[in-house]
């Protein structure tokens, strides 16, 4: 990976012309406001695809030029032929993964910011584990059967959204008692790492070969983040189980002596992605979800290969993006800036998935 800092271009008429030519579109949910505000700030037209219950919200923002309403987000594929006829670039976020099937997501033929080859490596917990391990990152131990469990574990259901249905088990007897609940479900048994969850947001530019740390957050999860508010003595006999349903996020900064390691982890994840997912590898926004233990070790729970909702805290920029930019730079705006720089250097296809290239 080349480490080259390219000075960002000053706004000029030709720059405005190139970005005004295209519309940046996304599903109205997750981080759509951030993406579309960033797109407008970089001079693009903006389009939100909303559902009947979100239409009024997206129409209420002046930076959104157009709202198209569909009955359900899962019906998005029906809109694709119409969008294909226009100069549209799709910026995906978590709702594309949550509401579209992997097949539809891959089939969508509109110019798409990102590399869809990463989707398979991200969607399979096994492939993702291989990716992280090959990058030299520490991952929690995994157990194949209940009998193997020799420490606290978290049961993660496949396809769970936002931690829904996850379970904490203290030991293998716990597993035996819950086995009935887990029958006919696909799940993994992962070592429960005791430490602080820390989500690090990155941006890797395929145009400059440079990785940036954009921001960081922690998730606020119910009820696990509130159990400390009740003394453990009082919890005894209350039949409370921790659950991990995300409802919000709060900002964090990382102890500076740990920042070099966070940066290295991002570089390693990108480097290995270029070996396993074709030369383009993982580019644009991504997040490494970590738990940091008392000996300052990062354990990696997951990689999210696109903008994560924790970046919504930083629509006006973060302490880290401020170090790289002298203007507010959200992750959404950084994506639009990359598309704009690609247009200006006649290399739009560099930032689009290979199956959605423009001529
Ligand atoms: P939504 O658009 O809210 O239905 O979310 C789509 C996906 O993104 C779901 O899998 C959510 O769990 C995840 N997600 C949404 N909002 C957040 C958030 N604030 N923090 C972390 N993940 C989120
Ligand atoms: P995930 O679906 O991997 O994003 O996990 C959702 C939440 O479950 C995380 O934000 C953590 O609070 C918790 N979690 C996931 N994996 C682990 C683990 N190995 N150890 C402890 N907590 C975890």
């Amino acid at each position: 990976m080349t480490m080259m800092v390219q000075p960002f271009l000053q706004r000029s008429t030709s720059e405005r012309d190139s970005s005004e030519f295209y519309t940046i579109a996304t599903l109205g949910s997750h981080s759509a406001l951030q993406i579309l505000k960033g797109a407008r700030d970089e001079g693009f037209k903006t389009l939100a695809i909303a559902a009947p219950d979100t239409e009024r919200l997206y129409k209420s923002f002046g930076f959104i030029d157009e709202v198209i309403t569909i009955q359900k987000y899962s019906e998005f594929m029906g809109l694709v032929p119409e969008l294909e006829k226009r100069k549209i670039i799709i910026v995906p976020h978590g709702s594309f993964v949550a509401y579209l099937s992997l097949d539809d997501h891959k089939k969508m033929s509109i110019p798409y910011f990102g590399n869809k080859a990463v989707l398979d490596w991200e969607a399979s917990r096994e492939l993702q584990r291989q990716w992280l391990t090959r990058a030299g990152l520490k991952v929690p131990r995994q157990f194949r059967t209940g009998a193997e469990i020799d420490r606290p574990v978290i049961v993660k259901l496949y396809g769970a959204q936002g931690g829904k249905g996850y379970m904490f088990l203290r030991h293998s007897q716990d597993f035996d008692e819950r086995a009935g609940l887990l029958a006919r479900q696909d799940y993994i048994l992962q070592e429960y790492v005791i430490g602080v969850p820390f989500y690090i947001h990155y941006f890797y530019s395929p145009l400059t070969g440079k990785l940036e740390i954009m921001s960081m957050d922690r998730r606020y999860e119910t009820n696990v983040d509130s159990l400390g508010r009740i003394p453990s003595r009082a919890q005894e006999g209350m039949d409370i189980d921790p659950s991990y349903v995300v409802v919000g996020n709060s900002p964090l900064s990382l102890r500076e002596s740990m920042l070099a390691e966070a940066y290295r982890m991002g570089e390693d994840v990108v480097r290995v992605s270029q070996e396993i997912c074709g030369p383009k590898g993982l580019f644009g926004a991504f997040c490494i979800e970590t738990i940091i233990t008392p000996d300052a070790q990062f354990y990696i729970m997951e990689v999210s290969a696109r903008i994560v909702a924790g970046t919504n805290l930083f629509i006006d920029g973060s302490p880290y993006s401020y170090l790289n930019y002298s203007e507010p730079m959200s992750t959404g705006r950084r994506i639009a800036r990359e598309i704009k720089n690609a247009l200006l250097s006649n290399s739009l296809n560099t930032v689009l998935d290979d199956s959605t290239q423009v001529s």
Side-chain angles (χ1 to χ4, degrees):
M1 203 184 315
T2 18
M3 287 296 143
M4 188 180 74
V5 184
Q6 178 175 290
F8 286 102
L9 302 152
Q10 297 299 308
R11 260 183 170 273
S12 66
T13 315
S14 65
E15 175 188 347
R16 283 200 304 275
D17 287 350
S18 64
S19 43
E20 275 167 11
F21 207 46
Y22 272 93
T23 296
I24 289 194
T26 197
L27 282 181
S29 188
H30 192 270
S31 47
L33 292 172
Q34 184 195 157
I35 291 169
L36 298 179
K37 174 73 169 73
R40 164 60 76 87
D41 288 345
E42 295 300 309
F44 289 94
K45 292 210 191 73
T46 55
L47 163 64
I49 294 115
D53 59 337
T54 55
E55 177 183 6
R56 280 168 56 73
L57 172 79
Y58 289 100
K59 282 190 169 160
S60 76
F61 289 101
F63 59 85
I64 301 182
D65 297 310
E66 186 184 356
V67 176
I68 297 180
T69 305
I70 53 179
Q71 284 311 304
K72 284 192 290 197
Y73 289 130
S74 53
E75 289 172 7
F76 173 71
M77 291 305 284
L79 199 63
V80 168
E82 186 184 327
L83 298 182
E84 268 176 353
K85 294 187 196 129
R86 301 174 48 180
K87 275 189 150 351
I88 282 183
I89 298 172
I90 290 281
V91 173
H93 52 60
S95 298
F96 285 75
V97 177
Y99 305 127
L100 303 187
S101 70
L102 187 57
D103 261 7
D104 281 348
H105 197 162
K106 286 202 272 188
K107 255 191 273 158
M108 189 202 315
S109 45
I110 313 164
Y112 175 100
F113 178 80
N115 179 2
K116 292 187 192 174
V118 180
L119 291 172
D120 287 324
W121 285 83
E122 183 197 30
S124 150
R125 292 199 187 270
E126 195 38 54
L127 290 178
Q128 191 171 129
R129 202 175 167 82
Q130 284 176 26
W131 174 10
L132 294 171
T133 314
R134 191 157 153 183
L137 305 188
K138 275 188 222 55
V139 292
R141 259 196 77 175
Q142 216 144 279
F143 300 94
R144 268 170 301 142
T145 62
E148 277 179 20
I149 297 174
D150 62 355
R151 65 193 76 189
V153 295
I154 181 162
V155 183
K156 297 184 168 189
L157 304 184
Y158 273 63
Q161 290 174 13
K164 208 163 169 216
Y166 285 10
M167 248 183 250
F168 171 80
L169 304 180
R170 243 187 105 179
H171 34 53
S172 55
Q173 293 95 291
D174 248 4
F175 179 85
D176 296 340
E177 283 162 27
R178 308 288 185 91
L181 287 175
L182 292 169
R184 288 189 300 281
Q185 305 217 50
D186 287 326
Y187 57 85
I188 54 163
L189 301 170
Q190 195 174 81
E191 168 186 10
Y192 193 94
V193 181
I194 298 177
V196 294
F198 218 105
Y199 290 70
I200 308 165
H201 319 143
Y202 301 85
F203 188 92
Y204 175 69
S205 164
L207 298 175
T208 64
K210 187 190 163 208
L211 179 77
E212 294 162 42
I213 289 184
M214 296 301 297
S215 47
M216 298 166 193
D217 80 297
R218 67 168 294 188
R219 288 188 184 171
Y220 203 39
E221 293 168 340
T222 183
N223 60 15
V224 71
D225 287 321
S226 67
L227 293 181
R229 292 158 61 102
I230 307 170
S232 62
R233 225 171 348 104
Q235 287 184 40
E236 267 168 40
M238 272 179 74
D239 195 24
I240 308 175
D241 279 320
S243 60
Y244 300 87
V245 178
V246 61
V247 287
N249 314 74
S250 25
L252 284 174
S253 69
L254 182 63
R255 188 170 160 178
E256 190 152 324
S257 56
M258 297 169 77
L259 208 51
E261 172 73 354
Y263 192 79
R264 190 190 61 73
M265 293 191 311
E267 287 184 304
D268 289 340
V269 162
V270 171
R271 177 178 47 76
V272 172
S273 75
Q274 292 166 349
E275 293 162 15
I276 60 179
C277 316
K280 276 189 171 173
L282 170 64
F283 66 82
F286 68 101
C287 170
I288 304 186
E289 308 183 352
T290 76
I291 297 186
I292 311 177
T293 51
D295 51 354
Q297 301 288 313
F298 290 89
Y299 280 82
I300 315 304
M301 289 181 277
E302 227 171 83
V303 175
S304 284
R306 68 196 63 69
I307 185 169
V308 289
T311 59
N312 286 341
L313 289 162
F314 306 105
I315 292 184
D316 205 27
S318 82
Y320 296 101
S321 72
Y322 184 72
L323 299 171
N324 278 325
Y325 298 91
S326 53
E327 60 191 326
M329 187 56 68
S330 68
T331 292
R333 185 171 183 182
R334 183 64 188 84
I335 292 169
R337 175 72 59 95
E338 190 75 359
I339 297 171
K340 187 173 72 182
N341 285 343
L343 283 164
L344 286 171
S345 55
N346 229 349
S347 41
L348 180 59
N349 284 334
T350 307
V351 303
L352 300 181
D353 179 64
D354 282 343
S355 69
T356 68
Q357 300 279 287
V358 293
S359 46

